[in-house]
């Protein structure tokens, strides 16, 4: 049985009172001797003192031991608590309710750079706005009477130009009726830096011009930027796995997925170029890279997608340009020789027509030959049109008039089962071009469209004015910003096979071999459009039809044209002057000579340029009034002959002849200061007029 302190005191008082009250009665009853009684009373007093001392010792020693034990226990707990504080990776502080720091472990002192005691408030250690947040948090904590309530905020501390971030946890406690605040500081600097790095990485991925997605290989997508969503035309919610982040052709191809998985299993990057169709049925190209990534025994994939449409189109355009240039050089060479042959034929035809003009039947037959030769000359001109700039007068052309002419021309040639749908703005601005070029462009496109609609269909011609936006300029780098007339010629025919799409503008390429197809129609169309400063594109769906879009710049009065003036007179002028002809083609030189002789001129023909140069060097050409010199000859060119004339001081006017007149020939003629340039083949009339004009101009100069 445990006795409490007050019970022991009551028992002691009870027994002490009995002892004081009864001890003397008992002693008097048993002891009569006074001396012995005095001695007994003394012993009684000492016994009382001894018993009282024992009781006091028992009581004091018991409570002293309990107090000592309690102190030792408290000391151990304090030491254990301080050991925990010292060993804790967090900073721990004790605050009074007014925010003063009265206790802190070493970690907190080091972080906050403080020493105790101090009058500084805890929130003053941090910068704004965190100091106000901490101050308000302590006020809120004190006002809430809940010991389990914890207030958490973030705080930033700058030391030596370095930011430190802490998670600050505030908890109210009390001791001996005194309230105080326990503060726990948890260092989250590395976490904040990591989060910032992740956010920076995400922001960088969002600003990149490529689509990027990160996903678990066997799980969901972790991150996808807006560029990829835009490329795929999907929302983020639709991109569940990394396979959803691939191009449309890959999504629908089991073999594509099988190859992808096999490549990823080998820890290699899977690459592919996808071709998809845009809203306007144009081809869009995208490069797709799927990269395997391993991190902490987990497998991820990174999908990288880039729009390479312009790169692919530029490469195709460059490749096609190289092929076109090579074929253009070949065609130019063939055209030059072919024009020489046509020139000889045309000259003899003109001689026959002049000699036998009274024979009606013969004239009609020969006239057919003449028209065929002129048609051949025009076709040759079309073949080399890519290198020509003088295809007729450059004048403002009304597209409406050209369309009406083209429809009139094709009407007898198209099937009655083909319907023509015309959608043309009535008040279209004009374009600066040769009417013949515009006519030829539309005519070729319309005839090609009609030929594809064997079973009938609809030919649509639409003309409108548009502004060249970024999309159009990106697809046609040859165009410049400004207004354009867009001519759309579409059909409902069989369409064009994608495999041959890139070849349709090449010369002599045709799918109608043996059926009347020459393979130069679209080649000439593209060449003419380019020469006018425009662009052309084609879109096709197999089984649905084809659409050609031609863009021509709107005419501006600031554009200066340089039309080629060709005189036209009914009668051919004559003369008696001496003319020297230097041409390595005997047949062509002979017919030119015969035509000039017929006009009364004295002609000498030299077919060997070396002989012609020797005549000049020997001074045997001084009595000639005109020299007609071919541009291209073996070993010694026409330029060499002309320079030889100039070096020897002969002021004979020169007519330079060529089977192909372009800017290069014109520039060469200007440098050599020739009087005129004659394009072969030429008619009798044009030859006579040009020769007379040059001779008359030279005669006037001599008079001056």
């Amino acid at each position: 049985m445990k006795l409490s302190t007050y019970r022991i005191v009551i028992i002691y008082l009870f027994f002490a009172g009995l002892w004081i009250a009864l001890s003397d009665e008992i002693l008097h009853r048993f002891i009569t001797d006074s001396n012995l009684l005095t001695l007994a009373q003394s012993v009684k007093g000492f016994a009382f003192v001894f018993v009282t001392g024992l009781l006091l010792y028992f009581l004091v020693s018991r409570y002293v031991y309990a107090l000592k034990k309690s102190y030792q226990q408290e000391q151990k707990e304090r030491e254990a608590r301080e050991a925990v504080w010292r060993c804790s990776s967090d900073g721990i502080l004790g605050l009074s309710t007014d925010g003063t720091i009265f206790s802190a472990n070493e970690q907190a002192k080091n972080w906050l750079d403080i020493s105790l005691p101090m009058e500084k408030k805890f929130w003053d250690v941090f910068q704004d706005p965190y100091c106000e947040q901490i101050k308000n948090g302590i006020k809120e904590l004190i006002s809430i009477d809940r010991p389990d309530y914890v207030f958490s905020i973030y705080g930033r501390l700058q030391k030596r130009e370095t930011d430190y971030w802490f998670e600050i946890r505030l908890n109210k406690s009390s001791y001996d009726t005194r309230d105080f605040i326990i503060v726990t500081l948890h260092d989250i600097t590395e976490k904040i830096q990591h989060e910032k790095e992740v956010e920076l990485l995400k922001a960088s991925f969002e600003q990149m011009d490529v689509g990027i997605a990160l996903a678990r290989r066997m799980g969901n997508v972790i991150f996808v930027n807006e560029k990829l969503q835009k490329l795929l035309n999907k929302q983020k919610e639709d991109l569940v796995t990394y396979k959803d982040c691939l191009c449309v052709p890959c999504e629908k191809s089991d073999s594509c997925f099988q190859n992808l998985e096999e490549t990823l299993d080998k820890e290699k990057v899977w690459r592919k170029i996808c071709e998809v169709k845009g809203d306007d049925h144009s081809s869009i190209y995208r490069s797709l890279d799927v990269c395997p990534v391993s991190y902490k025994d987990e497998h991820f994939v990174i999908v990288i997608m880039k729009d390479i449409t312009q790169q692919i189109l530029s490469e195709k355009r460059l490749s096609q340009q190289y092929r076109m240039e090579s074929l253009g050089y070949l065609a130019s060479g063939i055209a030059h020789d072919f024009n020489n042959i046509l020139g000889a034929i045309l000259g003899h035809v003109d001689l026959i027509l002049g000699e036998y003009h009274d024979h009606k039947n013969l004239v009609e037959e020969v006239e057919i030959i003449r028209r065929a030769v002129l048609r051949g000359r025009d076709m040759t001109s079309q073949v080399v049109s890519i290198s020509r700039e003088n295809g007729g007068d450059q004048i403002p052309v009304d597209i409406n008039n050209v369309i009406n002419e083209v429809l009139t021309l094709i009407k007898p040639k198209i099937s009655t089962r083909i319907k023509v749908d015309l959608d043309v703005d009535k008040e279209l601005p004009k374009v600066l071009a040769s009417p013949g070029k515009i006519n030829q462009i539309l005519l070729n496109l319309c005839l090609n469209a009609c030929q594809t609609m064997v079973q009938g269909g609809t030919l649509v011609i639409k003309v409108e004015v548009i502004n060249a936006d970024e999309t159009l300029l990106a697809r046609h780098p040859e165009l410049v910003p400004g207004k354009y007339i867009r001519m759309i010629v579409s059909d409902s025919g069989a369409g064009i096979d994608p495999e041959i799409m890139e070849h349709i503008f090449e010369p002599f390429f045709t799918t109608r071999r043996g059926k009347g197809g020459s393979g130069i129609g679209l080649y000439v169309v593209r060449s003419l459009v380019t020469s006018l400063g425009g662009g052309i594109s084609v879109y096709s769906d197999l089984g649905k039809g084809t659409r050609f879009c031609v863009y021509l710049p709107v005419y501006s009065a600031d554009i200066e044209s340089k039309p080629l003036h060709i005189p036209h007179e009914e009668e051919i002028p004559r003369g008696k002057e001496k003319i020297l002809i230097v041409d390595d083609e005997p047949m062509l030189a002979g017919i030119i000579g015969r035509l000039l002789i017929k006009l009364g001129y004295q002609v000498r023909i030299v077919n060997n340029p070396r002989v012609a140069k020797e005549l000049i060097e020997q001074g045997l050409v001084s009595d000639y009034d005109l020299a007609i010199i071919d541009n291209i000859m073996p070993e010694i060119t026409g330029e060499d002959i002309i320079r030889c004339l100039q070096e020897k001081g002969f002021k004979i006017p020169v007519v330079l002849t060529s089977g192909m007149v372009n800017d290069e020939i014109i520039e060469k003629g200007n440098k050599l200061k020739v009087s005129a340039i004659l394009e072969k083949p030429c008619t009798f009339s044009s030859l006579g007029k040009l020769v007379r004009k040059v001779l008359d101009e030279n005669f006037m100069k001599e008079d001056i």
Side-chain angles (χ1 to χ4, degrees):
M1 175 180 175
K2 289 186 177 181
L3 296 176
S4 61
T5 303
Y6 75 92
R7 286 181 179 178
I8 293 174
V9 171
I10 292 174
I11 293 173
Y12 171 76
L13 292 175
F14 175 74
F15 283 105
L18 288 178
W19 176 264
I20 293 171
L22 299 178
S23 60
D24 287 340
E25 290 294 331
I26 294 172
L27 289 176
H28 282 291
R29 182 173 294 183
F30 290 100
I31 301 174
T32 56
D33 187 1
S34 59
N35 292 329
L36 188 60
L37 181 62
T38 301
L39 180 61
Q41 287 179 340
S42 298
V43 172
K44 179 193 74 168
F46 282 111
F48 180 79
V49 172
F50 178 75
V51 172
T52 302
L54 288 176
L55 289 175
L56 288 174
Y57 172 77
F58 172 75
L59 290 175
V60 171
S61 62
R62 179 172 180 270
Y63 283 99
V64 167
Y65 175 77
L67 183 63
K68 183 179 180 180
K69 187 175 180 180
S70 174
Y71 174 77
Q72 291 175 345
Q73 182 67 27
E74 185 178 350
Q75 187 70 18
K76 287 181 179 180
E77 291 178 356
R78 185 183 299 109
E79 290 177 355
R81 184 168 58 252
E82 290 179 354
V84 171
W85 280 30
R86 288 193 300 272
C87 296
S88 174
S89 60
D90 294 335
I92 303 174
L93 302 95
L95 308 180
S96 59
T97 53
D98 63 354
T100 304
I101 303 173
F102 63 81
S103 178
N105 66 352
E106 292 299 322
Q107 188 70 280
K109 292 177 182 178
N110 292 334
W111 280 345
L112 303 181
D113 196 17
I114 60 174
S115 59
L116 299 178
M118 61 178 292
E119 296 297 328
K120 195 173 185 178
K121 305 299 183 183
F122 173 66
W123 50 73
D124 292 334
V125 179
F126 297 88
Q127 295 107 343
D128 287 329
Y130 308 104
C131 60
E132 287 297 324
Q133 294 176 4
I134 294 171
K135 185 187 296 185
N136 294 333
I138 292 176
K139 290 180 180 179
E140 180 180 336
L141 194 66
I142 294 173
S143 63
I144 297 175
D145 190 18
R146 283 179 53 190
D148 60 337
Y149 183 76
V150 179
F151 188 87
S152 296
I153 54 176
Y154 284 168
R156 186 183 70 176
L157 181 65
Q158 190 174 30
K159 292 175 59 179
R160 294 181 292 275
E161 298 182 356
T162 303
D163 286 341
Y164 292 88
W165 287 86
F166 300 99
E167 181 185 12
I168 305 173
R169 296 172 61 88
L170 305 175
N171 189 15
K172 187 174 72 172
S173 185
S174 61
Y175 179 75
D176 194 21
T177 69
R178 177 189 173 193
D179 291 337
F180 63 95
I181 307 296
I182 299 175
V183 180
T184 304
L185 299 178
H186 182 63
D187 186 2
I188 58 171
T189 303
E190 186 175 347
K191 176 184 176 183
I192 294 295
Q193 289 177 347
H194 177 70
E195 290 177 353
K196 286 185 175 180
E197 290 171 357
V198 171
E199 291 299 325
L200 177 61
L201 194 60
K202 287 183 178 180
S204 301
F205 285 162
E206 290 292 354
Q207 295 178 15
M208 292 177 68
D209 195 30
V210 296
I212 297 178
L214 173 65
R216 292 180 174 84
R217 186 173 173 184
M218 299 299 177
N220 294 339
V221 171
I222 299 173
F223 169 80
V224 56
N225 67 351
E226 291 185 3
K227 181 66 177 181
L228 185 61
Q229 299 175 47
K230 185 177 179 180
L231 288 173
L232 296 174
N233 196 21
K234 293 182 179 180
Q235 298 297 322
K236 188 175 182 180
E237 296 76 18
D238 301 328
L239 305 176
V240 181
T241 67
Y242 82 91
K243 293 182 179 180
D244 298 327
C245 301
L246 307 181
C247 297
V248 175
C250 295
E251 289 181 348
K252 300 179 180 179
S253 173
D254 293 335
S255 60
C256 187
F257 279 145
Q258 183 178 356
N259 179 261
L260 170 60
E261 293 293 343
E262 291 174 355
T263 305
L264 294 178
D265 289 338
K266 297 176 183 178
E267 297 185 352
K268 294 183 178 180
V269 178
W270 184 80
R271 289 187 171 90
K272 185 178 178 63
I273 294 180
C274 301
E275 180 182 1
V276 297
K277 293 294 183 182
D279 296 336
D280 57 355
H281 305 289
S282 60
S283 293
I284 299 175
Y285 298 92
R286 290 166 184 163
S287 66
L288 183 63
D289 290 0
V290 182
C291 312
V293 178
S294 297
Y295 178 73
K296 292 184 179 180
D297 298 330
E298 287 192 76
H299 299 287
F300 303 86
V301 291
I302 296 177
V303 178
I304 303 175
M305 184 183 297
K306 186 177 181 181
D307 189 343
I308 58 171
T309 303
Q310 296 311 313
Q311 177 184 338
I312 295 295
L313 293 179
S314 297
E315 290 174 356
K316 287 186 175 183
R317 192 179 295 112
L318 185 60
S319 176
Q320 189 174 41
Q321 182 178 349
Y322 286 149
R323 292 198 300 269
M324 297 280 280
E325 287 180 357
S326 300
L327 292 170
Y329 287 131
L330 176 62
S332 298
I334 296 174
H336 179 271
D337 294 337
F338 188 59
N339 276 342
N340 287 335
I341 299 172
L342 291 178
I345 297 173
L346 185 58
H348 283 85
V349 166
D350 285 340
L351 283 175
I352 294 172
L353 289 174
E355 188 72 24
Y356 301 97
H357 60 274
D358 295 332
H359 297 73
K360 184 177 179 181
N361 292 335
L362 179 61
V363 169
E364 290 179 356
E365 296 296 334
V366 174
E367 185 63 34
I368 293 174
I369 298 174
R370 189 175 189 275
R371 287 199 299 268
V373 172
L374 293 176
R375 179 178 173 83
R377 182 187 64 178
D378 293 340
M379 289 184 63
T380 307
S381 178
Q382 290 178 3
V383 171
V384 297
S385 61
I386 193 170
S387 59
R388 296 177 56 129
E389 297 296 338
N390 60 334
D393 293 351
Q394 299 287 323
I395 61 174
V397 177
D398 188 343
I399 299 294
N400 283 300
N401 295 336
V402 176
I403 292 174
N404 293 331
E405 292 177 4
V406 169
L407 291 178
T408 302
L409 288 173
I410 68 172
K411 188 175 181 180
K413 299 181 181 181
I414 63 175
S415 170
T416 55
R417 292 178 292 182
I418 296 177
K419 176 186 176 183
V420 179
D421 187 357
L422 198 60
D423 182 8
V424 182
D425 293 347
K426 293 183 179 180
E427 297 183 358
L428 285 173
K430 296 181 179 181
V431 297
L432 187 65
S434 163
K437 285 188 176 183
I438 306 294
N439 188 299
Q440 195 170 4
I441 291 169
L442 278 173
L443 184 61
N444 278 332
L445 291 178
C446 291
L447 289 177
N448 278 351
C450 293
Q451 289 168 358
T452 63
M453 296 183 287
V454 181
Q455 305 299 327
T458 303
L459 170 65
V460 179
I461 302 175
K462 182 177 181 180
V463 186
E464 59 187 350
V465 180
I466 64 168
N467 281 314
D469 56 14
E470 294 182 359
T471 303
L472 179 61
L473 294 176
R475 293 191 176 276
H476 292 275
E478 68 274 14
L479 302 182
V480 296
K483 288 187 177 182
Y484 286 82
I485 286 183
R486 177 166 63 184
M487 298 188 298
I488 302 175
V489 178
S490 58
D491 61 70
S492 56
I496 302 174
D497 192 330
E499 295 182 359
I500 66 171
M501 180 72 78
E502 62 183 44
H503 301 290
I504 62 174
F505 290 112
E506 294 178 1
F508 311 117
F509 177 83
T510 179
T511 57
R512 303 181 66 248
R513 191 74 63 188
K515 300 179 182 179
S518 63
I520 64 170
L522 290 178
Y523 167 77
V524 170
V525 167
R526 181 169 185 167
S527 302
L528 293 176
V529 170
T530 304
S531 71
L532 296 174
I536 184 171
S537 56
V538 57
Y539 309 99
S540 183
D541 278 343
L542 282 176
K544 295 183 179 179
T546 305
R547 182 181 65 191
F548 285 88
C549 295
V550 175
Y551 302 91
L552 297 175
V554 170
Y555 168 69
S556 172
D558 297 332
I559 301 175
E560 295 183 359
S561 60
K562 297 181 179 180
L564 179 67
H565 179 67
I566 302 177
H568 181 74
E569 300 177 5
E570 292 295 329
E571 296 182 358
I572 303 175
R574 305 173 66 85
K576 297 180 180 181
E577 290 85 353
K578 292 183 66 176
I579 300 175
L580 174 65
I581 300 176
V582 182
D583 197 316
D584 63 318
E585 290 287 341
M587 184 170 55
L588 181 60
I591 191 60
I592 292 176
R594 288 181 62 184
L595 291 173
L596 292 175
I597 291 172
K598 189 173 182 180
L599 292 174
Y601 297 103
Q602 303 175 53
V603 178
R604 179 174 180 179
I605 300 174
V606 179
N607 297 125
N608 190 331
R610 189 176 297 278
V611 174
K613 189 173 182 181
E614 291 176 356
L615 291 174
I616 296 170
E617 291 174 346
Q618 295 173 9
L620 301 177
V621 296
S622 59
D623 58 340
Y624 285 93
D625 301 297
L626 177 67
I628 300 176
I629 302 173
D630 188 27
N631 177 48
I632 300 176
M633 292 183 290
E635 297 183 7
I636 299 176
T637 65
E639 181 179 354
D640 297 332
I641 303 272
I642 296 171
R643 291 196 182 280
C644 186
L645 276 171
Q646 294 171 348
E647 290 171 0
K648 294 300 180 181
F650 295 111
K651 297 182 179 181
I652 303 173
V654 176
V655 174
L656 183 65
T657 64
S658 176
M660 181 185 68
V661 177
N662 53 24
D663 283 345
E664 183 181 353
I665 300 298
I666 295 173
E667 184 178 356
K668 180 188 292 186
N670 291 332
K671 288 182 179 179
L672 295 173
K673 298 181 180 180
V674 299
S675 300
I677 298 175
L678 177 64
E679 184 173 14
K680 300 180 291 186
C682 62
T683 63
F684 188 15
S685 175
S686 61
L687 174 64
K689 292 173 184 177
L690 180 62
V691 168
R692 187 69 262 163
K693 179 175 178 291
V694 171
L695 288 170
D696 290 342
E697 289 178 352
N698 185 64
F699 179 74
M700 292 176 63
K701 288 180 181 178
E702 290 179 353
D703 287 346
I704 295 173

